[in-house]
Amino acid sequence: MQCPYAYTVISFFKSDNSGFNGQGMHPLAKIKHLAGQIKVETYALFLAARDSRTPWYVKIVIAVIVGYALSPVDLIPDFIPVIGYLDDLFILPLGIALAVKLIPQPVLADCRARAMQTVNSKLPISWVAGIVIILLWIFITVILGVWVYESLIA
């Protein structure tokens, strides 16, 4: 089975406006479709990583890909104009495609179906996690504010 995420990324960069299935598609609609595919594929990888039928080495590959995606450290820093985002544009899709190739097909099909169903119905929301993150940002802001205030007073 071909990776729909990789197909979506490749078709996004086509010079013509033929869309994903031969129909004309506006560039903004392409971006929205690509974001939806990324969301489903990422959630399917998450489900596959937690599945007991997935080999341990594939779970490590998935962890490295997710860790790189969430890490503030990149091969090329993002503050470098244009070039900074090229590593995210190419490395992450290649990593996701690699993980998809390594996951056993029955597991991948099951995880994609569950991911599609979950994403279409709505991803679960964790209010506790949201509150913890907001409190963490408030704490960091207060600490930085106190530090700046003390440096200006001293």
Side-chain angles (χ1 to χ4, degrees):
M1 175 181 269
Q2 187 178 6
C3 174
Y5 172 73
Y7 175 73
T8 304
V9 170
I10 292 167
S11 62
F12 176 77
F13 290 106
K14 284 184 179 176
S15 60
D16 63 348
N17 223 9
S18 62
F20 300 107
N21 296 322
Q23 303 117 357
M25 189 177 269
H26 190 271
L28 194 57
K30 282 185 176 184
I31 291 171
K32 187 175 182 179
H33 181 76
L34 179 63
Q37 285 290 331
I38 291 170
K39 185 187 287 188
V40 170
E41 205 66 23
T42 304
Y43 194 62
L45 284 179
F46 169 76
L47 293 173
R50 299 183 67 188
D51 195 304
S52 62
R53 299 174 291 170
T54 303
W56 63 270
Y57 57 90
V58 178
K59 291 179 181 185
I60 292 173
V61 169
I62 293 170
V64 168
I65 293 166
V66 171
Y68 181 78
L70 298 177
S71 172
V73 178
D74 287 338
L75 292 178
I76 304 170
D78 290 340
F79 63 82
I80 299 174
V82 181
I83 298 173
Y85 290 105
L86 287 179
D87 65 334
D88 294 332
L89 187 64
F90 291 109
I91 291 175
L92 289 177
L94 289 174
I96 291 172
L98 173 67
V100 165
K101 292 276 186 195
L102 293 175
I103 297 171
Q105 289 304 315
V107 175
L108 184 60
D110 182 41
C111 291
R112 279 186 178 150
R114 288 177 23 214
M116 188 72 81
Q117 183 181 26
T118 303
V119 168
N120 285 341
S121 65
K122 200 171 185 181
L123 286 172
I125 297 173
S126 173
W127 289 101
V128 174
I131 290 170
V132 168
I133 290 170
I134 290 170
L135 290 175
L136 182 64
W137 276 106
I138 291 171
F139 177 74
I140 290 170
T141 304
V142 168
I143 295 295
L144 285 175
V146 168
W147 179 70
V148 168
Y149 179 75
E150 289 179 353
S151 348
L152 291 176
I153 298 291

